[in-house]
Amino acid sequence: MVSWKIIRLAALATLSMALIAAPSFTSAFAAGGGGGGGGGGGGFGGGSEPPASASGSKATHKAKKAGKQSSIDDPAFAQGYRAAYATIYDRNDYAAAIKQLKSLGHEDHPNVANLIGYSYRKLGDYRLSQVWYERALKADPNHVLTWQYYGLWQIEQGNRDQAQYHLSRIAAICGTDCEEYRSLAEALEKPAGTSLVY
């Protein structure tokens, strides 16, 4: 007769090993990226690549079974995201980048929605930019780069109090030493009406 304690211990050991073996999500963020929350984790963006998804996750298996769209860890998605990123930050072709990002089929991913919002903002379409920033935050309320970019949007619209709120959200997510906080704080220090380069 096997003791329940031994069975529980074996199950706990198996679960622990599975968690250790699962790949972790890491990313480095460059200023102006489309990444996630926490000042360096929680998504791909900046100059980094999309994360390799934990292959054992239920969500990944559901997405693969459903076959609706390629999963985030799909190399074709990663390549398309990198191409759109380069279109934005290397060529400043925001209209083309919007088409590229929408063609990925992951508009509800916060990194994708954030970059679409950024592109619309750079094109001067503040209404659509706001829609996409809010879509990114709906997908991930702690998406630090969206808070930063949406804060810059607020400054450009003359909503400095709202931008200050965005700054406080960034501080709560990644502290006051992260690049996103410093960038938005620097923009808020500039006199009203100053043109932003972000």
Side-chain angles (χ1 to χ4, degrees):
M1 185 163 128
V2 178
S3 166
W4 283 106
K5 288 182 180 180
I6 294 173
I7 293 172
R8 286 182 184 161
L9 184 58
L12 181 59
T14 303
L15 176 62
S16 297
M17 291 185 72
L19 290 173
I20 292 169
S24 64
F25 291 7
T26 58
S27 59
F29 293 94
F44 59 92
S48 68
E49 308 206 1
S53 175
S55 60
S57 76
K58 290 180 184 177
T60 302
H61 287 298
K62 281 185 182 177
K64 287 180 182 176
K65 280 186 181 179
K68 290 181 184 176
Q69 299 175 346
S70 61
S71 63
I72 296 298
D73 62 344
D74 179 4
F77 172 80
Q79 182 179 7
Y81 182 86
R82 283 190 301 270
Y85 183 90
T87 301
I88 292 170
Y89 295 106
D90 295 341
R91 295 189 294 282
N92 301 320
D93 188 351
Y94 307 111
I98 290 168
K99 288 178 187 173
Q100 289 174 308
L101 289 162
K102 287 182 177 181
S103 75
L104 296 175
H106 291 285
E107 292 91 1
D108 287 327
H109 191 285
N111 298 343
V112 173
N114 182 51
L115 282 184
I116 293 172
Y118 175 80
S119 296
Y120 277 121
R121 180 168 66 90
K122 297 303 279 184
L123 289 171
D125 191 334
Y126 287 95
R127 186 187 61 77
L128 277 176
S129 179
Q130 180 179 26
V131 167
W132 285 97
Y133 285 145
E134 289 179 3
R135 191 169 180 173
L137 290 173
K138 182 178 180 186
D140 181 1
N142 291 323
H143 199 258
V144 70
L145 282 174
T146 301
W147 284 108
Q148 175 194 3
Y149 280 14
Y150 200 5
L152 295 168
W153 181 97
Q154 297 288 357
I155 292 170
E156 290 175 353
Q157 295 298 295
N159 304 328
R160 296 181 76 77
D161 289 341
Q162 276 296 339
Q164 189 65 47
Y165 170 75
H166 288 237
L167 186 66
S168 71
R169 289 290 299 137
I170 294 169
I173 297 165
C174 65
T176 59
D177 277 342
C178 65
E179 176 60 33
E180 297 83 0
Y181 182 91
R182 289 192 309 266
S183 173
L184 185 55
E186 179 183 306
L188 271 165
E189 289 174 4
K190 294 182 179 181
T194 302
S195 179
L196 300 177
V197 183
Y198 311 96

